[in-house]
Each structure stands twice: as C-alpha cells, then as structure tokens.
C-alpha cells in the first residue's frame, strides 16, 4: 500500500530499463500494481503495451481480466490492447468463473466496446456461473449491462434471482446495493419480489444512518455501512422516478440528503432536480408534510444552477435547422434536465424530442427507461412532446421529405391535443396510477 510518488517514479524508471526482459506474468503484475495504487505513468504503459501483443497467448484467463481491469482503473484507453485481451478471454470461455465475467464485463462496458460475441458468451455461461457469484460481482455485471443498455431479459432474470437471495441475507454493501437498484431500474427490469427485498435492505441502512444523527458521515464512522451521497442520489432517483417505493423510504432518503446537501456535486444536483419534479407531481402530500429544513434543502438543490456540459448531436442540429427553414420559431435549451438539450417551440408550448441511438436498448427499438423518463418529465411540466426517432429521420433522404414528416408530426400532435381538451378530465386516482407506472405505458408511442 505504499503510495509515495518518489518510490513509484523510481520503480517506473526501473521498468523502462528492464522491460525487454519481462515475461507474461511480469507484465500482468506490473499493470496490476500500477492499477492498485492508481499510479498512471503513460510513458511506462505505452512501453508495456507491445508486450501484451507478444504474450497475449501466454496469459492465463485471470491475468487477462486483471489486465483489462487495470486499463479501466488507470483510464488507459488503448482500444487495440482491450480488443486483443477481449479476444483472449473469449478463447478461455471454458475457464470462466463469476469473477471473470464480472471483471471483463465491467472493463468492456467502461470503454463502450460493443462486442456481440462476448455478450453472447456471457449469456450462455451465466446459467452455470451466476449461483457462485457474490454481491460485488453481481453488481459489476448488472451495472455493465446497464451502461451498455444491454437488456437481455433471460440474463437479468438469473441475476435478479441471485440478487434477491443476497438482499434477503443483507449481503449488499451500501454502494453495491445502490448501483444494483439503479442498474435494474435503468434496464426497465421491475420485479415485485426483487423490489420488495431491495427496499427492505435500503430501509435497514437508512434506519442505521438516521440513528446516528446528522453527523453520520464523520470520518470516525467510515467503517459503518451507511449510504454515501452518491448512493443516496442513485437510490432516490431509481425509487422515485423509475421503480416506486413507500413514502417512508422516500422521506428517510430525503432527510439524509438534506443533511448532506453541502456535499452534493453538480452532476448529483442535476439528478436531484429531475427527481424533484416527480416528487412534486407524484408525492405532493409527502412534500407538504416534510420538515421545514428538508423542504428548504430541496428548494435550494432544485434552484441552484448546475454547471454540467451539454451537447447537440449532428442530426439533432439538422432537425433544428429544418424547423427553422419551415419558418417555425425554435429554441435550443435544457427544459427539464440541465444536461439534455431539447428543441422547444415556445409559441405552442411543445418540444421536439430528437431520440437518438443511445436512447434505445442495444439492437432494439425499445426506448430506455431514462429516455422514457425524460419524456414523462416534459409532459409532467405541461409540454406537448413530438418524438422523432433517429431511424425514421435517417430514412428521409430529401429536405422536402423531412419537412413533410415534421408537418405531419405537428398535425398529429395538434389533433391529439384537441381530443384531450374535449375529453373529460381523468379521475385523480387514474392520474396517480399513471404516474406510478414503470414507464412501460410510453413504450414505442410516437406522438
């Protein structure tokens, strides 16, 4: 555990001098050592990279996954190395264990390497290996699938069954529990029994933290298994916006977040802002009976500006320029999410949602839970949503085709709005039931 910089600088010089004499085990061990200390010397890593190619057939399966995980920990983005190692681990499929699957999937997902053959092998091996996986390995695997938006229902059902057993015995740590809940929610996998046991585990950790008082995050209590700020934010968003939970759990989560409001980062604040919208619309009575200090903290979090980067994709810009050529007044702004830009039509209080390829699960036209949540947020704030899927836009070859498509989209949205205004208002019970759904009601509906 020595982290003195001068020691590692001297060690790096020694590696540079003796690198040509290293074998496969030496290369793997050096990468692992650098990753464990998180000492990132790019010059040394670049010197060692050719030796990965030289010894790629000599590495054991465990050394291969250690090397892949070292690249992730060091944020050393050498895609050529990673693809070599990925092919090597696929060649050792008969040696796989739960640890191999979890570490390899975690590294592959970190660098967004879409390799269908690897994920097919994972799906084939999982029925035999999932029963020996511990909570950390289960968490790493489902988090990797969520990061890649890979919604394999058969694999998720197996992982969920093992997660339920671990949650029953309270084996999840605070970080693995929060990441697992959020990952299943992101993949739109909502199972009543799994949610029940996850919620019970969350409640246990919340009660432990609340019993310690506002100083539950003091350095002297670091060994106590209670939620940190990131885990609180992930859990609150998943339970409020995607899965649903009892008001007792939500109230306790909000209490702990109010105690830690000064530790919230910009990205966490951005997540909490969208969660506050659902809280106001779906849990109005709960918000009104919260303690005054909790309400003040939520108000401060919701109205404090966040500094997060935004990005306009190429085809979204093309869509916006086409609308402008049609003499339609448009604004490009973050309407409900500080990091997601939308095309706003201010005169009609409508939003054109450019739904790109990353808003769909891998190899499907099913929209992700986050994509559907964004549309739900816009509709909750009173906007009319007109969804433009990227694959439909790509089929339009001429500018005239694109204009006709957008005019047709607008006419359908206007007709639906007129029908909604003339229809009788839905009972309050139905409105509440719609807001507590798992978002599957949006499905592939295009407005």
């Amino acid at each position: 555990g020595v982290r003195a910089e001068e020691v590692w600088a001297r060690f790096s010089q020694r590696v540079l001098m003796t690198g040509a004499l290293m074998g496969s085990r030496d290369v793997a061990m050096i990468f692992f050592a650098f990753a464990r200390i998180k000492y990132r010397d790019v010059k040394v890593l670049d010197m060692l990279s050719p030796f990965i190619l030289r010894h790629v057939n000599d590495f054991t399966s465990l050394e291969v996954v250690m090397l892949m995980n070292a690249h992730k920990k060091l944020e050393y983005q050498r895609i050529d190395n990673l693809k070599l190692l990925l092919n090597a681990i696929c060649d050792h499929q008969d040696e796989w264990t739960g640890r191999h699957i979890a570490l390899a999937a975690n590294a592959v997902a970190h660098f967004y390497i879409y390799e269908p053959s690897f994920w097919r092998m994972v799906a084939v091996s999982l029925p035999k290996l999932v029963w020996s996986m511990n909570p950390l390995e289960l968490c790493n695997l489902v988090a990797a699938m969520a990061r890649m938006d890979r919604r394999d229902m058969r694999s998720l059902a197996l992982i969920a069954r093992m997660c339920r057993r671990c949650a029953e015995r309270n084996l999840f740590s605070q970080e693995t529990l929060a990441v697992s809940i959020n990952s299943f929610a992101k993949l739109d996998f909502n199972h009543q029994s799994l949610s029940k046991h996850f919620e019970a585990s969350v409640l246990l950790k919340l009660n432990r933290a609340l019993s310690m008082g506002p100083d539950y995050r003091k350095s002297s209590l670091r060994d106590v298994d209670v939620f940190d700020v990131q885990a609180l934010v992930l859990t609150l968003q998943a339970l409020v916006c995607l899965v649903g939970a009892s008001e007792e759990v939500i109230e306790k989560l909000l209490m702990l977040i109010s105690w830690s409001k000064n530790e919230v980062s910009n990205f966490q604040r951005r997540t909490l802002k969208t969660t506050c919208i659902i809280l106001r619309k779906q849990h109005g009575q709960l918000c009104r009976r919260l303690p005054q200090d909790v309400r003040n903290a939520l108000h401060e979090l919701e109205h404090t500006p966040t500094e997060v980067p935004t990005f306009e994709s190429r085809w979204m810009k093309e869509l916006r320029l086409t609308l402008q050529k049609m003499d339609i007044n448009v604004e490009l702004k973050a309407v409900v999410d500080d990091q997601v830009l939308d095309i706003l039509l201010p005169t009609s209080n409508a939003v054109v949602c450019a739904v790109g390829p990353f808003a769909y699960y891998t190899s499907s036209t099913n929209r992700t839970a986050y994509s559907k949540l964004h549309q739900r947020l816009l509709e909750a704030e009173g906007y009319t949503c007109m969804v433009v899927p990227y694959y439909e836009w790509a089929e339009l070859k001429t500018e005239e085709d694109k204009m006709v498509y957008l005019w047709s989209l607008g006419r359908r949205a206007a007709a639906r709005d007129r029908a909604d205004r003339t229809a009788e208002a839905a009972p309050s019970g139905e409105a509440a039931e719609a807001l507590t759904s798992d978002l599957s009601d949006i499905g592939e509906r295009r407005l």
Side-chain angles (χ1 to χ4, degrees), residues 204-215:
L204 186 66
K205 297 185 190 302
L206 293 178
N207 290 335
R208 184 182 301 140
L210 289 169
S211 67
M212 298 177 186
D215 295 330

Side-chain angles (χ1 to χ4, degrees), residues 122-131 133 138 141 152-165 184 189:
V122 170
V124 170
S125 302
L126 204 56
K128 295 182 294 184
L129 301 178
V130 71
W131 315 113
M133 297 176 71
L138 293 168
L141 180 56
D152 182 347
M153 297 302 292
R154 181 170 173 266
S155 298
L156 286 173
L158 290 170
I159 299 170
R161 189 179 301 177
M162 195 62 191
C163 285
R164 178 178 58 79
R165 295 182 184 180
F184 278 112
F189 185 88

Side-chain angles (χ1 to χ4, degrees), residues 283-426:
H283 299 280
Q285 293 183 353
L286 171 63
C287 292
R288 285 189 289 272
R289 70 167 184 265
L290 288 173
Q292 188 62 41
D293 57 336
V294 177
R295 287 193 289 175
N296 291 340
L298 289 177
H299 183 272
E300 181 181 340
L301 289 169
E302 188 174 4
H303 293 88
T304 301
T306 56
E307 297 178 4
V308 291
T310 57
F311 174 74
E312 182 185 18
S313 64
R314 177 197 58 78
W315 80 277
M316 183 179 180
K317 182 178 181 180
E318 181 184 350
L319 174 58
R320 178 171 57 85
L321 294 177
T322 302
L323 287 168
Q324 290 176 341
K325 289 178 183 178
M326 297 164 64
D327 294 329
I328 297 176
N329 183 22
V330 299
E331 295 179 10
L332 184 67
K333 62 183 295 187
V335 181
V336 293
D337 189 327
D338 290 339
Q339 200 171 13
V340 180
L341 294 174
D342 290 303
I343 302 173
L344 175 65
L345 311 182
T347 56
S348 57
N349 201 38
V351 172
V352 179
C353 300
V355 183
F358 293 106
Y360 294 88
Y361 292 114
T362 304
S363 304
S364 77
T365 54
N366 296 323
R367 287 174 61 186
T368 65
Y370 280 6
S371 172
K372 293 187 285 186
L373 173 61
H374 185 72
Q375 181 177 340
R376 175 66 58 81
L377 290 167
L378 289 168
E379 292 173 346
E381 291 291 75
Y383 294 99
T384 299
C385 293
M386 295 181 284
V387 178
V388 181
Y390 77 97
Y391 53 85
E392 289 188 358
W393 187 257
E395 293 295 322
L396 305 172
K397 303 303 181 184
T398 66
E399 193 168 283
E400 290 76 11
D401 291 340
K402 295 173 182 177
M403 290 184 178
V404 169
Y405 176 87
L406 292 174
W407 282 124
S408 175
L409 191 70
R411 283 195 295 270
R412 290 199 301 270
R416 196 195 74 252
D417 284 347
R418 285 195 297 270
D420 289 344
R421 284 195 295 269
T422 57
E424 294 181 356

Side-chain angles (χ1 to χ4, degrees), residues 166-235:
C166 294
E168 278 183 312
R169 300 172 186 142
N170 195 33
L171 299 179
F172 282 102
S173 63
Q174 55 92 12
E175 61 271 16
T176 56
L177 179 61
V179 171
S180 298
I181 292 173
N182 190 265
S183 299
F184 278 112
K186 185 180 178 184
L187 292 169
D188 207 3
F189 185 88
N190 301 323
H191 190 277
Q192 184 177 1
S193 178
L194 179 66
S195 299
K196 175 184 175 182
H197 287 94
F198 271 159
E199 186 173 335
S201 296
V202 168
L203 193 58
L204 186 66
K205 297 185 190 302
L206 293 178
N207 290 335
R208 184 182 301 140
L210 289 169
S211 67
M212 298 177 186
D215 295 330
Y216 77 103
R217 297 284 317 287
K218 288 174 64 175
S219 58
S220 60
L221 299 174
R222 284 184 178 176
D223 293 333
V224 181
D225 188 31
V226 293
F227 285 122
D228 58 20
V229 177
Q230 178 69 5
L232 286 172
V233 172
L234 286 177
T235 306

Side-chain angles (χ1 to χ4, degrees), residues 10 30 41 64 83 96 121 123 159 203 210 229 246 257 259 282 301 311 343 395 428 447:
R10 188 178 303 173
I30 289 172
D41 189 331
V64 172
K83 288 191 173 181
W96 282 7
M121 289 181 181
I159 299 170
L203 193 58
L210 289 169
V229 177
S246 65
I257 288 175
W259 289 350
Q282 181 175 342
L301 289 169
F311 174 74
I343 302 173
E395 293 295 322
S428 57
L447 304 178

